[in-house]
Structures are given as structure tokens and as C-alpha cells.
Amino acid sequence: AIPTKRSPLKPPPTPLTPPPQPRNPNQTPQRHTMASAYDREDGLAPPQPHGGGPADAYDPNYVPDSVKTFVVHLYRHIRDKNVYEIHQMYEGGFQRLSDRLFRDTPWPSAEAVAPYCDGDHVFLLLYRELWYRHAYARLSPLTASHRSESWNNYCDLFSVVLHGVVNMQLPNQWLWDMVDEFVYQFQSFCQYRAKLKNKTEDELQQLKQFDKAWNVYGVLNYLQALVEKSMIAQILEREKEGLESFTATDGYDYQGGSNVLKVLGYYSMIGLLRIHCLLGDYHTGLKCLAPINLNQQGVYTIVIGSHISTIYHYGFANLMMRRYVDATKEFNKILLYIIKYKQYHQKSPQYDQILKKNEQMYALLAICLSLCPQNKLIDENVSTQLKEKYNDKMTKMQRFDDEAYAAYDELFSYACPKFITPSPPVLDQPLTNYNQDAYRLQLKLFLYEVKQQQLLSGIRSYLKLYSAITITKLAQYMEMDEATLRSILMTYKHKMHAVDSNGKILSSADFDFYINEDVIHVVESKSTKRHGDYFLRQILKFEETIAELDKVQLD
């Protein structure tokens, strides 16, 4: 039996389904009007189990007793706004049933479980969202029709949130996963659509039929509409003045209202950052995230997946815009957080993804520190892990020869997002795969930036040895003429400065210099020594040692 512990967020039961509301074409995009397979008598067959098998191996209308119980209890808890129990069933019950009963097959259709939730429209939209997410994770391959049906379901679900009155509270984890999955399925569809070479005639016909599904403008419009309708930017602004308590309540509404629109709007800002990074528009991505203050705890830090995704894409966008200091600071903070707390997430379904993003961010941090050394910003524990993983490669990247470019290429290719080309293919031309085109373009731009900085490492090495040196003498050391040296010094000034989000020009170099009468004067920045951190680390080490000694039993 499912436990009945009550959440403090439980008002009297209210129906989930709002009154029917027409869609507003000014706020949400047009979408493919074909009804989903669930709404048609001749609905498409569900995806085949992984590894093939007969079509009748899966009966979409058969509902095991454990699934009936799950649906009945989940529906009741959502009606009761019992966030604690919803979270337990979402994080635990759904995963356990998937592992036990639906490892290689879909869940029962929404039509089949409808009798166990009074046919509630909103609940069935949520159920279908879980159904398609399970299909994406466990089943292969998915056809264009299934991808289109999932898009239609998201359109219906977000339209209800935007234009209806949603009387429910959902866990932040579920709401984050909803936005995260929405962006992932868009990314997955773009990659699927770009691999044309081995497509069958039927698959090409489906791409033509469902050409409106996962349109980039539609995806961006829905996320932007959630941000605007929720007024989350204004809420966060008022919170700075003490007029709101959004962060203090973790986004929940303790007055009997709903948290769905506000929290979806909040997470949609992170979703927009991610999409713009996939498109290579880093400036717009950072602008979308601007209302969230990353220097403070926020709702984005409550869910580990949201926390890591935010910092990963924020750091990557800053790296590509040459804001190396901002990227280094945030990578250092999140990597230190993962070192301390990853043990508590070992049983989480997201654990493998946490470890993967952890490794990718170490690679991006290695790139940042190779292009712009900022060792004073790195915590001792993070620095130790970084040296263990990439010390050899970072040594190579300082030389700027063929091996250095190969190291930059390897780390960037491993750690970058899976870039997408959002435009639909031209199916009348000879069919080729173009799913790697966006990645190759971003790699080319990144390596071009690296090449421009190839002589800056040598300049940095010499200038850190002197407080003053003549241009003539430095040119002799670097075996070049004075005009070329002046050009490289100007390049260093340019590359080590970046424009922040407020339009201010900031230096990211660990030292500065100026030229007066052909003499270069070096001004090295002095880092503030943090004695408190050092003493705290030593105290913790001694306490651990004493605890170990206490366990030793002397004869």
C-alpha cells in the first residue's frame, strides 16, 4: 500500500481539469493539427520493444493491477496537492514499475488508464508526458510519428498551463524534468531529422507529413510564453526588495494556490539558455538567464539536474564569449559541490548523467585555464582532481603546436553540447547526413580563436618574469621584430578583455601591463589570501584523522 503521509500543502480536493480555453495564437505557436494516436480509433502502433519482437507482444489496453493502483493513488495525491506523496511516487514508484514491468515495452496507453483517473484531461496529459519520456529512454527506434505525437502532447499540456486555471502543485523535480525533456526531445528530433542518408522511403514520407513538429520557433515560443505568463522575472525582481518569497518557499505556494506556472516559467529560462547554446547563440542564451542570480542559492539549486545543467551551459556560453573568469568561477563552484554531495545521489536515476557532466566540466575548466590561467580561483580539491585528469593535456595546450591543437580539439569535442541545425532538410536534393554540420562549425570557430592566441602563452611567460622590460629586448627574446611584438601585445590586451552582460569591459588576465617610452611595465594583480579557508580545511582533516584513530583498538 502507498503511504499516506500528508504534505503541509494539502487544501481540499479540487478538480485538475480547467474549463476549456481557446488557444491564443499570439502567445503559442501553430502546431501540427493531427490528433494524437490516443485520440484516433486507427491510432498508430506504439514503438516496438527494444531489440524487435512481434507487434502483438505489447497490448496497449492491458493495465496490470500495480499500474491501476499507481494511477489511482497518483491521481488522488495530485487532486489533494500532496506534494510529498507525488514526489515519492514520481521518483520511486514510477521508476520501480518501469524496471519491473516495462523494461523493454511502453506503459499502457492513456486511453486504457483513463477509467482509473475519472478520465481527467490534465492528468492524462501528465501521464502521456511520462509515457513518452519512458519511450524515449527505453525504446528504440522512435519514428517521426511518435515524436510528433509527443510534441502534440507538450503543446496541449503547456496550452492548459498557459491559458487555463491549473489547480495543482507538482514537485520541482517533475517540473524541471518536464522542461528538460521538452528541450531534449527537440534536440533529439533535430538530430534524427538531419540523418537522411539511410532513411527509408516511409521515414522520409513521415518527415514530410510531420514537418510542423518540433519547429524551432514553436519550441522557443512556448518556453518564452511560460516565462512571460508566469511573470517570473518580475517575481525575482520583487524578491530582491523583500516583496516576494519565491526562493524561500522553493517555489511552492503555501496559500493553497498552484506552483506549476511559476516554476515552469523559472525553469524555462534555463531551457532557453540550453537551446540557444545548442544553436550557437551564446549572447541570447545568457540574456535569457539574466533574471536568475547565480551568486545566491535559488530554486535552480534544489534539483541537482537543474543545478548542473544551468552551470554547464552558463559556463560553456561564457567560454565561447571569452569570459574565462566567469566560466572558471562557476565551474569551480559546481565541481566542488559535486565532490561533496555526489555520494547522496548514487541511487538517483540522474546519477550517470551527473558523472558525465562532471567529466565534461573538468574538460571545459582545463580549456579555460589553458587559455587564461586563473589558478587563484580554483579550490584545492578541484585543482587536485583536474591535475589527475588533464595535467598532461594542459601541458601540451600551453605549447600551441599540432599536439596542442589536437588536445584542444579532443577536449572541446568531448565536452561541448550536441549542437543542432534547426532548419528542416530539403528532401528533394540528394540525401546526405548533416547532423554534424553545426558541431563542425562551432569547433572551427573555437580552434580559430585558439590559433589567434597561440603566441600569448609565450608573452605571458616572459612578462611574469619582469617588472619592466624594453620592447627591443623582449623582441630579441621572442625572435621577432618590434612591429610584430607590438601587434601581439595589442592582441593580448584584446583577448584578455571581455564585455560582460552589462556592457562593461573587464579584464580576465592575472596581470596587466602598460607601455611608456618603449618600456613595458608589468603590474601583477595580488590575490587576496584566504587564511580562513586554509584553517578550516586543516581542522576538518585533523578531525577525520582523530575519528579514524578513535576507531583503532589498542591491545
Side-chain angles (χ1 to χ4, degrees):
I2 296 177
T4 57
K5 179 176 178 182
R6 296 295 180 185
S7 163
L9 305 170
K10 186 183 76 63
T14 51
L16 301 181
T17 308
Q21 296 285 336
R23 286 184 183 161
N24 184 344
N26 295 325
Q27 288 189 335
T28 54
Q30 285 189 332
R31 66 177 180 86
H32 188 58
T33 55
M34 173 184 171
S36 73
Y38 293 115
D39 300 326
R40 300 172 10 169
E41 293 181 1
D42 59 341
L44 297 170
Q48 288 294 314
H50 183 67
D56 58 355
Y58 163 70
D59 181 3
N61 297 316
Y62 172 68
V63 184
D65 290 341
S66 53
V67 174
K68 294 177 186 176
T69 304
F70 175 83
V71 171
V72 168
H73 282 82
L74 182 61
Y75 176 56
R76 189 188 75 200
H77 293 317
I78 291 178
R79 281 174 56 98
D80 293 349
K81 299 186 181 180
N82 192 336
V83 176
Y84 174 85
E85 292 295 351
I86 298 170
H87 182 78
Q88 295 300 311
M89 296 189 71
Y90 173 76
E91 277 282 275
F94 184 76
Q95 294 296 330
R96 285 192 294 271
L97 284 174
S98 296
D99 291 338
R100 196 169 85 237
L101 300 177
F102 308 108
R103 185 178 295 274
D104 298 314
T105 58
W107 274 60
S109 69
E111 193 174 65
V113 303
Y116 308 104
C117 62
D118 300 331
D120 191 286
H121 177 60
V122 176
F123 180 86
L124 291 176
L125 290 175
L126 293 172
Y127 179 84
R128 287 190 183 106
E129 196 269 333
L130 292 175
W131 193 99
Y132 284 111
R133 194 190 312 169
H134 171 78
Y136 267 85
R138 303 288 183 102
L139 311 177
S140 176
L142 287 176
T143 65
S145 62
H146 295 120
R147 297 170 189 269
S148 175
E149 289 162 16
S150 182
W151 161 252
N152 291 341
N153 188 68
Y154 273 117
C155 291
D156 291 337
L157 179 57
F158 289 157
S159 293
V160 166
V161 174
L162 287 167
H163 308 306
V165 180
V166 181
N167 300 313
M168 60 182 175
Q169 294 217 65
L170 295 178
N172 287 334
Q173 179 71 59
W174 193 346
L175 295 171
W176 160 251
D177 288 343
M178 208 178 286
V179 173
D180 186 54
E181 184 71 14
F182 181 65
V183 176
Y184 165 73
Q185 290 188 21
F186 165 64
Q187 178 185 5
S188 175
F189 184 78
C190 289
Q191 296 283 354
Y192 169 82
R193 184 175 57 187
K195 298 177 182 178
L196 295 175
K197 195 170 184 180
N198 297 319
K199 288 274 192 292
T200 64
E201 190 60 37
D202 182 53
E203 289 174 324
L204 294 174
Q205 197 60 38
Q206 285 193 18
L207 283 178
K208 291 180 181 179
Q209 183 181 358
F210 304 114
D211 60 336
K212 302 297 183 185
W214 295 110
N215 177 279
V216 62
Y217 297 111
V219 172
L220 291 172
N221 284 349
Y222 268 117
L223 292 177
Q224 189 61 40
L226 287 168
V227 173
E228 293 177 1
K229 185 69 181 288
S230 66
M231 300 182 69
I232 188 62
Q234 293 87 333
I235 290 173
L236 294 175
E237 192 62 35
R238 289 201 304 271
E239 189 173 47
K240 296 176 183 177
E241 303 171 3
L243 302 176
E244 291 279 351
S245 57
F246 179 78
T247 303
T249 61
D250 295 341
Y252 293 109
D253 190 324
Y254 286 87
Q255 307 302 318
S258 171
N259 70 325
V260 174
L261 178 59
K262 286 191 293 186
V263 177
L264 278 179
Y266 183 92
Y267 286 137
S268 291
M269 292 189 289
I270 302 171
L272 286 168
L273 166 66
R274 180 177 167 188
I275 288 180
H276 286 299
C277 281
L278 296 175
L279 298 173
D281 187 356
Y282 307 110
H283 177 78
T284 304
L286 292 175
K287 191 175 179 181
C288 291
L289 194 70
I292 299 178
N293 185 357
L294 298 184
N295 295 319
Q296 298 178 352
Q297 292 291 314
V299 174
Y300 77 97
T301 62
I302 295 169
V303 179
I304 183 70
S306 160
H307 193 181
I308 291 176
S309 180
T310 301
I311 302 304
Y312 168 78
H313 291 97
Y314 175 85
F316 185 82
N318 277 296
L319 166 62
M320 296 299 283
M321 294 182 68
R322 296 205 323 270
R323 299 176 184 173
Y324 302 118
V325 172
D326 289 340
T328 300
K329 285 180 179 177
E330 293 304 323
F331 283 142
N332 174 68
K333 285 196 293 188
I334 189 65
L335 291 171
L336 186 60
Y337 175 86
I338 293 173
I339 289 173
K340 292 180 178 179
Y341 296 107
K342 70 178 179 182
Q343 58 183 326
Y344 302 112
H345 299 278
Q346 290 180 355
K347 295 183 180 179
S348 169
Q350 292 90 23
Y351 187 65
D352 290 341
Q353 187 68 12
I354 291 171
L355 295 182
K356 179 183 178 182
K357 280 287 178 270
N358 183 61
E359 295 300 316
Q360 287 181 314
M361 286 189 288
Y362 272 111
L364 293 176
L365 182 58
I367 292 174
C368 286
L369 294 178
S370 297
L371 291 173
C372 180
Q374 292 286 350
N375 294 319
K376 64 179 181 291
L377 299 178
I378 306 300
D379 182 87
E380 182 182 338
N381 294 314
V382 175
S383 180
T384 301
Q385 294 275 333
L386 184 64
K387 287 176 181 176
E388 289 177 3
K389 298 174 186 294
Y390 295 116
N391 191 50
D392 291 343
K393 282 188 170 58
M394 291 177 71
T395 303
K396 289 179 182 177
M397 289 191 290
Q398 293 299 318
R399 298 201 299 260
F400 289 93
D401 53 14
D402 289 342
E403 283 191 0
Y405 289 128
Y408 275 111
D409 187 329
E410 180 184 345
L411 291 185
F412 182 87
S413 300
Y414 169 69
C416 69
K418 292 183 178 178
F419 299 106
I420 55 174
T421 301
S423 56
V426 180
L427 300 176
D428 299 331
Q429 297 179 357
L431 301 179
T432 58
N433 291 343
Y434 67 95
N435 56 303
Q436 293 291 320
D437 287 2
Y439 153 72
R440 292 193 187 100
L441 175 60
Q442 295 298 320
L443 176 63
K444 178 182 176 182
L445 293 172
F446 171 73
L447 292 179
Y448 181 68
E449 177 67 31
V450 170
K451 188 174 181 64
Q452 288 182 325
Q453 299 192 32
Q454 62 181 342
L455 295 176
L456 301 189
S457 178
I459 286 279
R460 184 185 295 112
S461 300
Y462 280 112
L463 292 183
K464 287 181 78 71
L465 295 175
Y466 294 89
S467 59
I469 184 174
T470 63
I471 289 181
T472 304
K473 190 173 184 180
L474 183 57
Q476 291 174 352
Y477 286 155
M478 298 196 68
E479 300 178 348
M480 61 181 63
D481 57 73
E482 293 185 21
T484 303
L485 177 59
R486 286 179 183 273
S487 176
I488 294 174
L489 288 171
M490 289 300 295
T491 301
Y492 185 89
K493 281 280 190 181
H494 170 63
K495 294 297 183 184
M496 291 298 106
H497 284 75
V499 181
D500 69 3
S501 55
N502 297 319
K504 295 181 180 178
I505 298 177
L506 302 175
S507 173
S508 56
D510 51 351
F511 68 90
D512 201 357
F513 66 87
Y514 63 93
I515 301 174
N516 184 21
E517 296 182 353
D518 291 338
V519 177
I520 305 170
H521 298 271
V522 180
V523 182
E524 188 164 358
S525 60
K526 294 182 180 179
S527 59
T528 305
K529 294 184 178 180
R530 293 172 291 182
H531 300 293
D533 291 346
Y534 174 80
F535 281 114
L536 284 172
R537 284 197 300 269
Q538 299 307 315
I539 289 169
L540 290 173
K541 285 182 181 179
F542 275 111
E543 286 181 348
E544 291 174 1
T545 304
I546 292 170
E548 291 296 324
L549 289 173
D550 288 341
K551 295 177 183 178
V552 177
Q553 296 181 354
L554 299 177
D555 295 333

